[in-house]
Amino acid sequence: MKKIIWPAAITLASFLAYFALRFWLWGPLHAAGFRDLLAFCYVLLGMTIVRCSTYLFFDLLYLKRTGREAPGLLKVMFSLVCYAILFMLILGLVLKYDVTGLVATSAAVSVVIGFALQDTLGNFFAGASLHIEQPFKIKDSIRFRDRTGEVETASWRSTAIRTTDNSVLIFPNSLLAREPIEVFPYESLHRQSVSFSAPYSVAPQTVIDVARSAALDLPDVTYEIQPTARITGFGESSVNFELLYWLKDYMRAGDASAAIRERLWYAFHREGLSMPFPTRHVLLENINPEDLECKTGVDYRRAIDGIDIFQPLTSVEKDALLTLSQVLLFAPGEYMVRCGQPGDSMFIIGRGKAEVRVSSNGTHSTVAVLKTGGFFGEMSLFSGEPRSADVIAIEESEVLEIGKAGIEKLLLENANLARIFSKTVSERLAVLEEHAGRVCGGEEIKVEEGKFFERIKRIFNLS
Ligand code: CMP
């Protein structure tokens, strides 16, 4: 009320002064001075009227109708418009200025300013509409474009929210006014849910009781409304449930759901309930040599027949070797074995071509090119040493990988094989020596020629 009484009193006093002066000092010489004084009195009167209207419209009517205080921004805008009109009226009617030019100029200036400040004005009016509508208030939590936070400030230009990471996000009001916002009002209850699953073998009511007990006595959960649990679906390997509980502070949602999940685990554990996980029936198949041929299109049985070191094997032994092996496919340029790496398998090239390469001081040297039916990797397999060279697929290559288990089986059944294997490895080592001085990635190959037989016996535990 003080805001009205004081201007009203000053206005009354100024009008009294005006009339008194006019009564005592009236004369044509003073006419212009009186007009200015009168204009001044009208300015005071206008201010009083604007203040009275603001008080009447916003502090009384708006409050009564909406039950909340009118936004400050709205009051400021209303006052500004009123003062602008008042200014024009006094200029035109009291001071007798021609205001048409001024109105036209100000309209043109407004258009220019309007274009220049398009974004700012957009934000301003969006801010004004947000202030009038008040879809959210300070301390409410809002979700906007997947970001959630508590509203900290709402100015005429932007709205700032503080996230749970304690960072502040500032959204321009024009953006907020255009897109949907999810609002979680402060001091309202917010329902949350945690999904979990239970075995089919346990009665739903038992699970529901266990889950509800898990949600009790948590600091972030309110018990004005009790937590409930319900079935949401029948899954592949479990019955799916959700636990519903209520929060006072939406910003605590993440911590509350984590605490509830933890409690659920303990409650399930105590009750001897398992958290089901998807189960699959895996069919393990013994591959027939014929099947392998069908799947890859390569006759690996014939490939084994064509390899010298496997000549002494019986037909049954060759079949056994095939069932213990696997087919691998390599792209052109791919390393099938890498020099210096450990290896306990050998390979037969079923289809494709490979380069055996050694490198010394950055220069590469091709030791051999292996074609379909060729084999590699036997040196590490029989010696236990790291790979002696790189073997790289020159074109798309399909190889049969024979693991240590397969060879071990053969050697145990046919001790003669060890001699044959050692001969081949020795021959290959001799070629490697000619190239690159027996180096592989700078390291000397440690396997000594002629001693393979003993090594093979030792590695494969042959007596
Ligand atoms: P390993 O040492 O296990 O890995 C690299 C392979 O390259 C090696 O086994 C041999 O199989 C192969 N290799 C090495 N030298 C030769 C060679 N001179 N001719 C053919 N292949 C070879």
Side-chain angles (χ1 to χ4, degrees):
M1 271 309 242
K2 263 189 196 170
K3 278 189 206 164
I4 299 170
I5 291 170
W6 275 109
I10 294 168
T11 308
L12 189 68
S14 60
F15 268 104
L16 285 174
Y18 168 76
F19 285 119
L21 283 172
R22 228 184 116 158
F23 180 76
W24 296 111
L25 301 172
W26 178 251
L29 282 176
H30 299 103
F34 280 124
R35 209 169 51 214
D36 292 348
L37 187 59
L38 184 63
F40 177 71
C41 292
Y42 277 124
V43 168
L44 290 176
L45 180 66
M47 278 174 63
T48 312
I49 292 170
V50 171
R51 287 203 171 190
C52 282
S53 322
T54 313
Y55 178 73
L56 189 73
F57 288 136
F58 297 108
D59 295 347
L60 293 181
L61 286 176
Y62 190 96
L63 193 67
K64 204 174 163 201
R65 284 195 64 169
T66 62
R68 57 173 194 252
E69 273 210 27
L73 187 68
L74 190 65
K75 288 188 197 174
V76 172
M77 279 171 65
F78 175 80
S79 306
L80 279 177
V81 172
C82 290
Y83 284 130
I85 295 170
L86 187 74
F87 176 69
M88 291 290 182
L89 285 176
I90 293 172
L91 270 186
L93 299 177
V94 182
L95 298 175
K96 305 290 181 204
Y97 278 105
D98 184 8
V99 287
T100 27
L102 190 64
V103 170
T105 318
S106 58
V109 170
S110 308
V111 171
V112 174
I113 292 176
F115 273 117
L117 299 177
Q118 223 169 7
D119 285 348
T120 316
L121 287 177
N123 279 326
F124 177 79
F125 286 112
S129 81
L130 286 177
H131 274 79
I132 294 164
E133 275 181 41
Q134 291 203 323
F136 53 79
K137 296 193 287 296
I138 304 295
K139 278 184 169 289
D140 283 352
S141 300
I142 60 168
R143 176 159 39 228
F144 182 71
R145 289 188 171 178
D146 286 340
R147 302 304 300 265
T148 307
E150 189 181 291
V151 179
E152 220 171 49
T153 55
S155 71
W156 62 270
R157 197 196 73 81
S158 61
T159 300
I161 64 168
R162 191 173 287 272
T163 67
T164 40
D165 310 334
N166 206 25
S167 57
V168 178
L169 294 173
I170 297 162
F171 297 116
N173 286 333
S174 56
L175 211 64
L176 290 176
R178 254 201 316 265
E179 291 179 33
I181 313 167
E182 193 173 355
V183 181
F184 308 98
Y186 180 62
E187 286 191 327
S188 299
L189 298 184
H190 311 285
R191 197 179 77 173
Q192 295 290 295
S193 68
V194 161
S195 301
F196 64 98
S197 47
Y200 270 104
S201 54
V202 184
Q205 203 50 56
T206 310
V207 177
I208 287 170
D209 289 345
V210 171
R212 288 185 59 186
S213 72
L216 292 178
D217 308 320
L218 284 164
D220 293 322
V221 176
T222 176
Y223 297 98
E224 287 172 40
I225 305 173
Q226 286 300 314
T228 53
R230 62 188 183 189
I231 294 181
T232 53
F234 294 107
E236 238 181 278
S237 47
S238 61
V239 183
N240 300 329
F241 291 84
E242 68 176 355
L243 178 61
L244 303 165
Y245 54 96
W246 294 79
L247 295 178
K248 260 192 197 142
D249 183 357
Y250 182 78
M251 295 306 286
R252 304 288 306 158
D255 289 327
S257 66
I260 286 200
R261 283 192 185 95
E262 188 182 321
R263 288 280 192 87
L264 271 174
W265 188 91
Y266 282 106
F268 266 51
H269 192 257
R270 275 196 305 276
E271 297 300 321
L273 302 179
S274 64
M275 295 250 179
F277 47 85
T279 52
R280 296 257 184 287
H281 289 283
V282 179
L283 197 64
L284 289 175
E285 195 184 350
N286 252 344
I287 302 172
N288 249 317
E290 288 85 29
D291 291 347
L292 201 61
E293 186 191 332
C294 287
K295 276 177 189 157
T296 64
V298 175
D299 186 352
Y300 283 103
R301 183 63 176 74
R302 266 183 68 184
I304 288 178
D305 279 341
I307 292 176
D308 302 349
I309 53 171
F310 295 135
Q311 288 302 325
L313 299 185
T314 64
S315 185
V316 178
E317 283 170 342
K318 286 176 185 169
D319 286 348
L321 191 66
L322 210 50
T323 49
L324 288 166
S325 309
Q326 60 170 334
V327 174
L328 305 174
L329 192 63
F330 289 92
E334 240 187 317
Y335 279 65
M336 298 195 271
V337 302
R338 261 179 210 279
C339 185
Q341 284 193 345
D344 59 0
S345 61
M346 63 173 288
F347 305 83
I348 297 173
I349 302 175
R351 178 167 62 81
K353 208 189 268 183
E355 178 193 351
V356 181
R357 187 201 275 173
V358 285
S359 307
S360 175
N361 300 327
T363 49
H364 305 302
S365 159
T366 302
V367 177
V369 173
L370 304 174
K371 299 201 182 106
T372 300
F375 65 95
F376 60 92
E378 79 295 339
M379 286 167 77
S380 285
L381 174 66
F382 296 132
S383 68
E385 290 294 319
R387 298 289 187 197
S388 58
D390 293 322
V391 182
I392 304 150
I394 297 174
E395 52 193 51
E396 189 190 76
S397 302
E398 191 184 289
V399 296
L400 183 77
E401 184 181 24
I402 303 169
K404 193 177 174 185
I407 299 291
E408 199 165 35
K409 198 166 178 288
L410 294 182
L411 287 173
L412 286 172
E413 284 165 13
N414 190 343
N416 236 351
L417 284 174
R419 284 207 178 279
I420 300 164
F421 290 154
S422 64
K423 186 170 173 282
T424 312
V425 175
S426 303
E427 281 168 9
R428 285 191 164 185
L429 195 61
V431 181
L432 270 185
E433 268 187 327
E434 288 165 24
H435 289 266
R438 293 177 72 184
V439 288
C440 175
E443 279 181 28
E444 196 173 327
I445 301 167
K446 293 183 190 99
V447 181
E448 281 176 33
E449 218 177 304
K451 292 196 177 165
F452 272 107
F453 180 58
E454 292 305 319
R455 284 199 91 132
I456 291 172
K457 277 173 66 179
R458 206 171 61 238
I459 288 169
F460 290 95
N461 298 320
L462 306 175
S463 53

